[in-house]
Amino acid sequence: MEPFLVSIGWYNVAAGLALFALLSPRIGQKVLGEWCRLTAAPYSLGDHGALWLWWAALTNLFFGAVNVLAAGWEPAAQRAIAWLDLAVYVPFLVLALGALRSPRYGRGVWVAVPLFGGWIAWNLHALLG
C-alpha cells in the first residue's frame, strides 16, 4: 500500500505544480495545444479559468500531501485514503472516455485513459491484492 500512496501522492504534487504553470496562456498553449495536443481549440483561460486552475492546483497539492503522509499511517487509514483516491480517479477516467467523443478535445486525451486506468489498476491491486 505504501508504494502506491507515495507514488500517487508525489504524482499529484507534481501535477499541482504543473497546473500553476498553465496560468500563463503562452505556456498553456504550448503544453496543451502543441505538445500534448490535449485540446483542439486555442488555449484560453476565459473568465474563470485562472480561478479554476488555482483551485485544481491547490487541491492536487493537498491530496498529494495527504497521500504521501498516509504512507506512514495505520493500515486502516491507508485503506481509507486509497478508497478516496479510487473515488476520484474513476470519475476522471469516465470524463476522459467521454472527452474522446467530443471534437473539442484533441488526441492528447488518449494519454489520460491509460494514465487514469493505470492508477486505478494499481489502486485496486493495493486495496484488494
Side-chain angles (χ1 to χ4, degrees):
M1 181 68 68
E2 290 87 357
F4 168 75
L5 292 171
V6 169
S7 297
I8 199 166
W10 284 116
Y11 165 79
N12 276 288
V13 168
L17 295 174
L19 286 172
F20 281 124
L22 298 179
L23 288 167
S24 163
R26 185 176 60 80
I27 293 173
Q29 178 59 37
K30 196 60 113 171
V31 172
L32 297 178
E34 296 174 26
W35 296 343
C36 298
R37 306 234 184 244
L38 188 62
T39 178
Y43 182 78
S44 171
L45 289 174
D47 293 336
H48 305 290
L51 176 65
W52 181 89
L53 275 175
W54 273 97
W55 173 81
L58 292 172
T59 301
N60 270 21
L61 290 172
F62 172 76
F63 284 114
V66 167
N67 274 277
V68 170
L69 293 172
W73 297 349
E74 296 179 21
Q78 290 178 351
R79 292 179 61 76
I81 296 299
W83 281 110
L84 290 173
D85 289 334
L86 197 60
V88 170
Y89 276 87
V90 168
F92 282 170
L93 179 60
V94 171
L95 289 172
L97 290 170
L100 293 174
R101 300 180 55 168
S102 172
R104 293 182 54 202
Y105 301 99
R107 65 179 183 249
V109 175
W110 282 101
V111 172
V113 173
L115 180 66
F116 296 152
W119 284 119
I120 291 167
W122 191 6
N123 191 329
L124 288 171
H125 176 72
L127 282 168
L128 307 174

